[in-house]
Amino acid sequence: MAAAVLIKNLRKSYGDVPAVKDISFTVEPGEIFGLLGPNGAGKTTTIRCLCTLAKPDRGKIEVGGISAIASPKAVRQRLGYVAQEVAIDKVLTGRELLKLQAALYHLPKKSIGDRTNQLIEVLGLQDYADKKTGTYSGGIRKRLDLAAGLLHQPEVLVLDEPTVGLDIESRMVVWEFLQALREAGTTVLITSHYLEEIDALADRLAIIDQGVVIAEGTPSELKDKLGGDRITLRIREFTPYEEAEKAKYILESLPFVENVIVNTVQGNSLNLIVTSGQNSLSKIEQSLSEVSLPTFSLAQSRPSLDDVYLAATGKTIMDAQIAASSSRDLKKEKKQQMK
Ligand SMILES: Nc1ncnc2c1ncn2[C@@H]1O[C@H](COP(=O)(O)OP(=O)(O)OP(=O)(O)O)[C@@H](O)[C@H]1O
């Protein structure tokens, strides 16, 4: 059986900005696949190439074995795309907008009414469908976008950051809906910079950084590969650097401690990697009290996807996110995209 989506050695630049340098991944039929990465990593560009909205410089893109480059129309019929932001006519009602969209997808006239009603019901939009979309909240708006992406019953639904800016309740609605879609056999490809979103939803994922894939696998495979547990320790609420260094020296001598970093950005807290299952917390507390160092807080956790990103890039996704948002000219990008 052909892969639902195959992307191989994709490359795409905007002028001299290499948005995607070399991205490859495969999405199997019926799975939720996540593309995780900070803003600017190349997720949207990859998705736009897949959905035939941007022309790649190089690489192979297939949907169900069909080339997106040679047969863009056939590929568009198989894909539903829910973009990050959609500019819509706010005067139309949700129902009118869906009907218009259905006509653009060339759905048979007879089936448009039924399909629209069905999606309005499935997405819980009955109370909103006949109100103008300009009155919708972000969560309702996103549900309408999902309905629009599903009108032509695509084999693969592609969503670009579907929960950005949504409150927790709306986010849950989207998550549950995507899980139900998967149960019903639709393949889902979702991009996100939210670790917990990809961790909760994705059967498999690729982590993207600066236009390349830095890790691929199931969430647990990627986390287990790192090995060990994470411990965050604060000696005091704001620990003097010398004291943190002293604690580091003591902790490094413990046999179950694999690595210690003093995190200067976080008030000189200490980040440790320890061998799992060693009753580490009490041993750490005891070793510190023997040299009269207090413990303000101490917490142990399994590795997260952020640790996977950190191990591969040397920074957290949040740090990369902040760095990216200060260096991009979004107005200029929009202009270039229109070309
Ligand atoms: N139209 C454009 N013109 C010029 N540069 C662009 C354009 N679109 C994207 N870029 C640049 O390409 C890189 C990848 O951007 P892309 O939008 O694909 O990343 P992303 O991971 O999807 O982030 P976001 O979620 O913020 O869109 C960034 O450095 C960005 O500044």
Side-chain angles (χ1 to χ4, degrees), residues 97-117:
L97 206 104
L98 288 178
K99 287 189 170 169
L100 184 70
Q101 195 92 351
L104 294 175
Y105 277 129
H106 302 297
L107 253 65
K109 270 209 181 98
K110 269 193 284 174
S111 67
I112 289 182
D114 283 351
R115 182 69 183 143
T116 307
N117 285 341

Side-chain angles (χ1 to χ4, degrees), residues 83-330:
Q84 219 172 111
E85 275 175 52
V86 195
I88 52 153
D89 188 333
K90 296 187 168 112
V91 183
L92 293 180
T93 67
R95 189 185 303 277
E96 287 166 342
L97 206 104
L98 288 178
K99 287 189 170 169
L100 184 70
Q101 195 92 351
L104 294 175
Y105 277 129
H106 302 297
L107 253 65
K109 270 209 181 98
K110 269 193 284 174
S111 67
I112 289 182
D114 283 351
R115 182 69 183 143
T116 307
N117 285 341
Q118 192 190 10
L119 285 166
I120 287 173
E121 196 183 319
V122 171
L123 282 148
L125 288 167
Q126 297 93 326
D127 293 346
Y128 309 94
D130 297 307
K131 292 184 180 149
K132 291 188 169 123
T133 55
T135 63
Y136 288 7
S137 67
I140 301 301
R141 191 47 270 178
K142 192 49 80 176
R143 282 195 237 171
L144 185 70
D145 293 344
L146 280 168
L150 289 165
L151 276 167
H152 60 304
Q153 296 182 294
E155 290 159 27
V156 183
L157 183 67
V158 181
L159 305 112
D160 196 2
E161 301 267 9
T163 63
V164 162
L166 297 192
D167 55 61
I168 291 178
E169 207 178 309
S170 302
R171 184 178 290 186
M172 283 300 153
V173 171
V174 173
W175 286 14
E176 279 166 21
F177 184 72
L178 295 181
Q179 278 158 335
L181 261 189
R182 174 192 39 200
E183 297 310 315
T186 304
T187 307
V188 177
L189 171 58
I190 169 179
T191 82
S192 182
H193 66 276
Y194 294 130
L195 301 155
E196 67 287 0
E197 177 154 277
I198 296 296
D199 208 352
L201 282 182
D203 299 304
R204 289 191 311 119
L205 72 139
I207 303 185
I208 298 190
D209 183 59
Q210 297 185 11
V212 296
V213 173
I214 55 169
E216 187 184 346
T218 69
S220 23
E221 267 167 19
L222 293 180
K223 291 184 276 185
D224 289 350
K225 232 189 248 169
L226 288 183
D229 284 356
R230 270 60 195 156
I231 288 183
T232 309
L233 159 72
R234 279 180 188 278
I235 305 292
R236 302 176 195 279
E237 194 170 3
F238 300 100
T239 313
Y241 183 73
E242 298 69 36
E243 220 168 44
E245 278 294 320
K246 182 177 171 191
K248 178 176 190 277
Y249 179 76
I250 302 289
L251 296 171
E252 276 172 342
S253 68
L254 298 174
F256 59 88
V257 174
E258 293 168 22
N259 191 23
V260 186
I261 294 172
V262 176
N263 191 337
T264 49
V265 183
Q266 302 279 338
N268 296 326
S269 64
L270 290 117
N271 293 69
L272 290 75
I273 300 177
V274 300
T275 320
S276 308
Q278 298 281 332
N279 196 15
S280 318
L281 295 186
S282 58
K283 289 180 191 162
I284 286 174
E285 213 163 2
Q286 193 189 340
S287 316
L288 293 177
S289 81
E290 279 167 12
V291 290
S292 306
L293 285 174
T295 35
F296 176 74
S297 69
L298 188 58
Q300 184 164 3
S301 60
R302 304 282 302 136
S304 68
L305 288 179
D306 205 17
D307 294 312
V308 176
Y309 184 82
L310 179 69
T313 65
K315 55 187 187 281
T316 65
I317 287 204
M318 184 60 84
D319 290 339
Q321 186 80 6
I322 293 166
S325 48
S326 59
S327 69
R328 288 178 71 173
D329 182 347
L330 294 176

Side-chain angles (χ1 to χ4, degrees), residues 14-15 17-20 37-46 84 160-161 191 193 208 321 327-330 332-338:
Y14 295 102
V17 181
V20 168
N39 277 339
K43 306 181 298 293
T44 302
T45 304
T46 305
Q84 219 172 111
D160 196 2
E161 301 267 9
T191 82
H193 66 276
I208 298 190
Q321 186 80 6
S327 69
R328 288 178 71 173
D329 182 347
L330 294 176
K332 194 172 151 204
E333 286 180 18
K334 275 235 162 77
K335 250 193 217 158
Q336 188 131 8
Q337 233 162 48
M338 310 292 257

Side-chain angles (χ1 to χ4, degrees), residues 63 71-80 105-106 152-156:
V63 175
S71 315
K73 205 169 158 202
V75 159
R76 278 201 291 272
Q77 275 165 2
R78 285 171 168 76
L79 292 178
Y105 277 129
H106 302 297
H152 60 304
Q153 296 182 294
E155 290 159 27
V156 183

